[in-house]
Short mmCIF file of all heavy atoms in Angstrom, two decimals:
data_model
loop_
_atom_site.label_atom_id
_atom_site.label_comp_id
_atom_site.label_asym_id
_atom_site.label_seq_id
_atom_site.Cartn_x
_atom_site.Cartn_y
_atom_site.Cartn_z
N LEU A 134 18.17 -3.36 19.25
CA LEU A 134 17.10 -3.73 18.36
C LEU A 134 17.06 -5.20 18.21
O LEU A 134 18.09 -5.90 17.98
CB LEU A 134 17.24 -3.13 16.94
CG LEU A 134 17.42 -1.55 16.92
CD1 LEU A 134 17.83 -1.15 15.51
CD2 LEU A 134 16.17 -0.90 17.31
N ALA A 135 15.85 -5.83 18.37
CA ALA A 135 15.67 -7.25 18.05
C ALA A 135 14.40 -7.31 17.23
O ALA A 135 13.29 -7.45 17.73
CB ALA A 135 15.54 -8.04 19.40
N MET A 136 14.58 -7.21 15.98
CA MET A 136 13.43 -7.13 15.02
C MET A 136 13.14 -8.46 14.41
O MET A 136 13.96 -8.94 13.65
CB MET A 136 13.75 -6.06 13.92
CG MET A 136 14.26 -4.71 14.51
SD MET A 136 13.21 -3.98 15.82
CE MET A 136 11.88 -3.38 14.79
N GLU A 137 11.99 -8.97 14.78
CA GLU A 137 11.53 -10.33 14.29
C GLU A 137 12.61 -11.40 14.57
O GLU A 137 12.87 -12.20 13.72
CB GLU A 137 11.27 -10.22 12.77
CG GLU A 137 10.27 -9.17 12.34
CD GLU A 137 8.91 -9.29 13.14
OE1 GLU A 137 8.38 -10.41 13.22
OE2 GLU A 137 8.39 -8.25 13.60
N VAL A 138 13.09 -11.37 15.76
CA VAL A 138 14.06 -12.41 16.25
C VAL A 138 13.53 -13.28 17.33
O VAL A 138 13.77 -14.48 17.40
CB VAL A 138 15.31 -11.73 16.66
CG1 VAL A 138 16.40 -12.77 17.17
CG2 VAL A 138 16.01 -10.92 15.51
N VAL A 139 12.76 -12.63 18.27
CA VAL A 139 12.30 -13.30 19.48
C VAL A 139 11.63 -14.64 19.21
O VAL A 139 11.87 -15.57 19.89
CB VAL A 139 11.40 -12.44 20.30
CG1 VAL A 139 10.87 -13.10 21.53
CG2 VAL A 139 12.11 -11.12 20.68
N GLU A 140 10.85 -14.69 18.11
CA GLU A 140 10.15 -15.90 17.78
C GLU A 140 11.03 -17.05 17.23
O GLU A 140 10.52 -18.14 17.02
CB GLU A 140 9.00 -15.65 16.84
CG GLU A 140 9.40 -15.25 15.42
CD GLU A 140 9.61 -13.72 15.26
OE1 GLU A 140 9.73 -13.02 16.24
OE2 GLU A 140 9.69 -13.31 14.07
N HIS A 141 12.30 -16.69 17.02
CA HIS A 141 13.17 -17.79 16.46
C HIS A 141 14.19 -18.32 17.49
O HIS A 141 14.94 -19.29 17.23
CB HIS A 141 13.99 -17.11 15.27
CG HIS A 141 13.13 -16.75 14.13
ND1 HIS A 141 12.50 -17.59 13.32
CD2 HIS A 141 12.69 -15.52 13.75
CE1 HIS A 141 11.83 -16.97 12.37
NE2 HIS A 141 11.91 -15.72 12.63
N VAL A 142 14.21 -17.78 18.71
CA VAL A 142 15.12 -18.25 19.71
C VAL A 142 14.49 -19.36 20.56
O VAL A 142 13.28 -19.35 20.74
CB VAL A 142 15.65 -17.10 20.63
CG1 VAL A 142 16.39 -16.11 19.78
CG2 VAL A 142 14.56 -16.45 21.39
N ALA A 143 15.31 -20.23 21.09
CA ALA A 143 14.78 -21.36 21.85
C ALA A 143 14.16 -20.87 23.19
O ALA A 143 13.09 -21.43 23.58
CB ALA A 143 15.85 -22.36 22.17
N GLU A 144 14.73 -19.93 23.85
CA GLU A 144 14.27 -19.48 25.15
C GLU A 144 14.06 -17.96 25.08
O GLU A 144 15.00 -17.18 25.33
CB GLU A 144 15.26 -19.79 26.28
CG GLU A 144 15.43 -21.30 26.51
CD GLU A 144 14.23 -21.89 27.12
OE1 GLU A 144 13.41 -21.21 27.84
OE2 GLU A 144 13.98 -23.15 26.96
N SER A 145 12.89 -17.47 24.83
CA SER A 145 12.61 -16.08 24.58
C SER A 145 12.90 -15.27 25.84
O SER A 145 13.41 -14.12 25.75
CB SER A 145 11.17 -15.86 24.09
OG SER A 145 10.23 -16.34 24.98
N ALA A 146 12.52 -15.79 26.99
CA ALA A 146 12.71 -15.03 28.25
C ALA A 146 14.20 -14.79 28.48
O ALA A 146 14.65 -13.66 28.87
CB ALA A 146 12.11 -15.75 29.42
N ILE A 147 15.11 -15.81 28.27
CA ILE A 147 16.48 -15.59 28.44
C ILE A 147 17.04 -14.67 27.41
O ILE A 147 17.89 -13.78 27.68
CB ILE A 147 17.21 -16.94 28.37
CG1 ILE A 147 16.83 -17.85 29.61
CG2 ILE A 147 18.72 -16.78 28.29
CD1 ILE A 147 17.31 -19.26 29.50
N PHE A 148 16.56 -14.75 26.13
CA PHE A 148 17.02 -13.84 25.13
C PHE A 148 16.66 -12.38 25.47
O PHE A 148 17.53 -11.49 25.37
CB PHE A 148 16.37 -14.23 23.77
CG PHE A 148 16.66 -13.28 22.67
CD1 PHE A 148 17.89 -13.31 22.02
CD2 PHE A 148 15.71 -12.33 22.24
CE1 PHE A 148 18.14 -12.38 20.96
CE2 PHE A 148 15.95 -11.42 21.24
CZ PHE A 148 17.19 -11.51 20.60
N ILE A 149 15.42 -12.14 25.93
CA ILE A 149 15.06 -10.78 26.26
C ILE A 149 15.78 -10.30 27.44
O ILE A 149 16.19 -9.15 27.46
CB ILE A 149 13.49 -10.72 26.56
CG1 ILE A 149 12.76 -10.99 25.24
CG2 ILE A 149 13.11 -9.37 27.11
CD1 ILE A 149 11.23 -11.24 25.40
N GLN A 150 16.15 -11.17 28.39
CA GLN A 150 16.96 -10.77 29.54
C GLN A 150 18.34 -10.36 29.10
O GLN A 150 18.89 -9.34 29.52
CB GLN A 150 17.18 -12.00 30.50
CG GLN A 150 17.97 -11.64 31.71
CD GLN A 150 18.05 -12.87 32.63
OE1 GLN A 150 17.35 -13.87 32.48
NE2 GLN A 150 18.90 -12.74 33.65
N ARG A 151 18.92 -11.07 28.13
CA ARG A 151 20.28 -10.69 27.63
C ARG A 151 20.21 -9.41 26.86
O ARG A 151 21.09 -8.54 27.02
CB ARG A 151 20.78 -11.88 26.72
CG ARG A 151 21.12 -13.11 27.41
CD ARG A 151 22.11 -12.92 28.52
NE ARG A 151 22.20 -14.09 29.39
CZ ARG A 151 21.69 -14.32 30.55
NH1 ARG A 151 21.03 -13.40 31.13
NH2 ARG A 151 21.81 -15.49 31.22
N CYS A 152 19.14 -9.15 26.10
CA CYS A 152 18.96 -7.92 25.36
C CYS A 152 18.91 -6.77 26.41
O CYS A 152 19.50 -5.69 26.17
CB CYS A 152 17.71 -7.89 24.51
SG CYS A 152 17.82 -8.97 23.04
N ALA A 153 18.20 -7.02 27.50
CA ALA A 153 18.11 -5.95 28.58
C ALA A 153 19.49 -5.66 29.18
O ALA A 153 19.80 -4.48 29.46
CB ALA A 153 17.14 -6.46 29.66
N GLU A 154 20.28 -6.64 29.31
CA GLU A 154 21.60 -6.44 29.87
C GLU A 154 22.47 -5.61 28.94
O GLU A 154 23.45 -5.01 29.38
CB GLU A 154 22.27 -7.80 30.18
CG GLU A 154 21.64 -8.59 31.30
CD GLU A 154 22.13 -9.99 31.35
OE1 GLU A 154 23.07 -10.39 30.61
OE2 GLU A 154 21.55 -10.77 32.15
N LEU A 155 22.23 -5.67 27.57
CA LEU A 155 22.93 -4.95 26.66
C LEU A 155 22.55 -3.50 26.54
O LEU A 155 23.28 -2.67 25.86
CB LEU A 155 22.79 -5.58 25.27
CG LEU A 155 23.46 -6.99 25.14
CD1 LEU A 155 22.83 -7.74 23.95
CD2 LEU A 155 24.94 -6.80 24.97
N VAL A 156 21.49 -3.06 27.16
CA VAL A 156 21.02 -1.61 27.10
C VAL A 156 21.67 -0.84 28.20
O VAL A 156 21.67 -1.20 29.39
CB VAL A 156 19.45 -1.57 27.24
CG1 VAL A 156 19.03 -0.14 27.21
CG2 VAL A 156 18.81 -2.39 26.15
N LYS A 157 22.36 0.29 27.81
CA LYS A 157 22.94 1.23 28.81
C LYS A 157 21.75 1.76 29.70
O LYS A 157 20.62 1.94 29.24
CB LYS A 157 23.56 2.41 28.05
CG LYS A 157 24.83 2.07 27.36
CD LYS A 157 25.43 3.38 26.75
CE LYS A 157 26.71 3.19 26.07
NZ LYS A 157 27.17 4.41 25.41
N PRO A 158 22.10 2.14 30.88
CA PRO A 158 21.11 2.79 31.72
C PRO A 158 20.56 4.04 31.02
O PRO A 158 21.28 4.82 30.48
CB PRO A 158 21.93 3.21 32.96
CG PRO A 158 23.03 2.24 33.03
CD PRO A 158 23.38 1.96 31.59
N GLY A 159 19.21 4.12 30.96
CA GLY A 159 18.61 5.21 30.26
C GLY A 159 18.45 4.93 28.79
O GLY A 159 17.90 5.77 28.00
N GLY A 160 18.90 3.75 28.25
CA GLY A 160 18.84 3.48 26.89
C GLY A 160 17.50 2.95 26.47
O GLY A 160 16.56 2.93 27.24
N LEU A 161 17.40 2.36 25.31
CA LEU A 161 16.24 1.94 24.72
C LEU A 161 16.38 0.56 24.04
O LEU A 161 17.33 0.35 23.29
CB LEU A 161 15.74 3.00 23.63
CG LEU A 161 14.43 2.82 22.97
CD1 LEU A 161 13.33 2.99 23.95
CD2 LEU A 161 14.33 3.93 21.91
N ALA A 162 15.46 -0.34 24.33
CA ALA A 162 15.41 -1.67 23.63
C ALA A 162 14.10 -1.65 22.84
O ALA A 162 13.05 -1.26 23.28
CB ALA A 162 15.36 -2.75 24.62
N ILE A 163 14.25 -2.07 21.57
CA ILE A 163 13.11 -2.10 20.64
C ILE A 163 12.98 -3.53 20.19
O ILE A 163 13.85 -4.07 19.51
CB ILE A 163 13.16 -1.13 19.47
CG1 ILE A 163 13.36 0.30 20.04
CG2 ILE A 163 12.03 -1.26 18.52
CD1 ILE A 163 13.65 1.35 18.97
N LEU A 164 11.87 -4.23 20.54
CA LEU A 164 11.60 -5.60 20.14
C LEU A 164 10.44 -5.64 19.26
O LEU A 164 9.42 -4.90 19.48
CB LEU A 164 11.29 -6.45 21.42
CG LEU A 164 12.31 -6.41 22.49
CD1 LEU A 164 11.83 -7.24 23.69
CD2 LEU A 164 13.64 -6.97 22.09
N SER A 165 10.51 -6.46 18.21
CA SER A 165 9.35 -6.64 17.36
C SER A 165 9.20 -8.14 17.16
O SER A 165 10.26 -8.80 16.86
CB SER A 165 9.66 -5.95 16.01
OG SER A 165 8.66 -6.35 15.05
N THR A 166 8.01 -8.68 17.36
CA THR A 166 7.89 -10.14 17.19
C THR A 166 6.48 -10.44 16.81
O THR A 166 5.65 -9.51 16.71
CB THR A 166 8.25 -10.89 18.49
OG1 THR A 166 8.29 -12.25 18.29
CG2 THR A 166 7.26 -10.57 19.70
N ILE A 167 6.16 -11.71 16.59
CA ILE A 167 4.83 -12.10 16.22
C ILE A 167 4.10 -12.56 17.40
O ILE A 167 4.57 -13.44 18.19
CB ILE A 167 4.91 -13.23 15.12
CG1 ILE A 167 5.67 -12.77 13.88
CG2 ILE A 167 3.52 -13.65 14.71
CD1 ILE A 167 5.99 -13.81 12.93
N ASN A 168 2.89 -12.07 17.66
CA ASN A 168 2.02 -12.39 18.77
C ASN A 168 1.53 -13.86 18.48
O ASN A 168 1.21 -14.19 17.37
CB ASN A 168 0.86 -11.43 18.86
CG ASN A 168 0.03 -11.62 20.09
OD1 ASN A 168 0.29 -12.43 20.91
ND2 ASN A 168 -0.92 -10.73 20.20
N ARG A 169 1.39 -14.63 19.57
CA ARG A 169 0.88 -16.03 19.43
C ARG A 169 -0.66 -16.00 19.49
O ARG A 169 -1.27 -16.02 20.59
CB ARG A 169 1.47 -16.88 20.61
CG ARG A 169 1.18 -18.41 20.44
CD ARG A 169 1.85 -19.25 21.41
NE ARG A 169 1.59 -18.92 22.78
CZ ARG A 169 2.45 -18.46 23.66
NH1 ARG A 169 3.69 -18.26 23.32
NH2 ARG A 169 2.11 -18.18 24.86
N THR A 170 -1.20 -15.92 18.32
CA THR A 170 -2.69 -15.95 18.12
C THR A 170 -3.05 -16.90 17.03
O THR A 170 -2.15 -17.31 16.28
CB THR A 170 -3.26 -14.54 17.77
OG1 THR A 170 -2.66 -14.17 16.45
CG2 THR A 170 -2.85 -13.44 18.77
N PHE A 171 -4.31 -17.19 16.94
CA PHE A 171 -4.78 -18.05 15.83
C PHE A 171 -4.42 -17.40 14.49
O PHE A 171 -4.01 -18.03 13.56
CB PHE A 171 -6.27 -18.36 15.93
CG PHE A 171 -6.78 -19.09 14.80
CD1 PHE A 171 -6.49 -20.43 14.55
CD2 PHE A 171 -7.55 -18.46 13.79
CE1 PHE A 171 -6.95 -21.10 13.39
CE2 PHE A 171 -8.04 -19.08 12.61
CZ PHE A 171 -7.75 -20.37 12.41
N MET A 172 -4.62 -16.05 14.43
CA MET A 172 -4.41 -15.37 13.20
C MET A 172 -2.94 -15.39 12.73
O MET A 172 -2.63 -15.48 11.59
CB MET A 172 -4.83 -13.87 13.25
CG MET A 172 -6.37 -13.79 13.43
SD MET A 172 -7.35 -14.54 12.11
CE MET A 172 -7.10 -13.32 10.81
N SER A 173 -2.02 -15.28 13.76
CA SER A 173 -0.66 -15.38 13.43
C SER A 173 -0.24 -16.76 12.86
O SER A 173 0.55 -16.84 11.95
CB SER A 173 0.27 -15.03 14.58
OG SER A 173 0.20 -15.99 15.60
N PHE A 174 -0.88 -17.81 13.47
CA PHE A 174 -0.65 -19.11 12.93
C PHE A 174 -1.13 -19.22 11.50
O PHE A 174 -0.47 -19.72 10.62
CB PHE A 174 -1.35 -20.16 13.83
CG PHE A 174 -1.31 -21.56 13.30
CD1 PHE A 174 -0.16 -22.34 13.44
CD2 PHE A 174 -2.34 -22.08 12.58
CE1 PHE A 174 -0.07 -23.61 12.92
CE2 PHE A 174 -2.31 -23.38 12.05
CZ PHE A 174 -1.16 -24.11 12.18
N LEU A 175 -2.35 -18.70 11.27
CA LEU A 175 -2.89 -18.72 9.92
C LEU A 175 -2.05 -17.99 8.87
O LEU A 175 -1.73 -18.52 7.83
CB LEU A 175 -4.34 -18.17 9.97
CG LEU A 175 -5.12 -18.16 8.68
CD1 LEU A 175 -5.36 -19.60 8.19
CD2 LEU A 175 -6.42 -17.41 8.86
N PHE A 176 -1.64 -16.76 9.22
CA PHE A 176 -0.95 -15.91 8.22
C PHE A 176 0.53 -16.21 8.17
O PHE A 176 1.05 -16.31 7.08
CB PHE A 176 -1.23 -14.43 8.49
CG PHE A 176 -2.60 -14.01 8.10
CD1 PHE A 176 -3.53 -13.79 9.07
CD2 PHE A 176 -2.92 -13.89 6.75
CE1 PHE A 176 -4.88 -13.45 8.66
CE2 PHE A 176 -4.29 -13.53 6.34
CZ PHE A 176 -5.22 -13.31 7.29
#
Side-chain angles (χ1 to χ4, degrees):
L134 305 169
M136 310 308 286
E137 305 302 316
V138 177
V139 177
E140 69 271 16
H141 297 285
V142 299
E144 295 290 335
S145 61
I147 293 171
F148 175 78
I149 293 169
Q150 179 181 352
R151 295 301 171 256
C152 288
E154 292 169 6
L155 289 162
V156 180
K157 286 181 181 177
L161 186 65
I163 301 172
L164 308 174
S165 171
T166 190
I167 303 173
N168 190 359
R169 189 172 57 245
T170 64
F171 173 74
M172 295 303 284
S173 68
F174 175 78
L175 181 64
F176 285 104

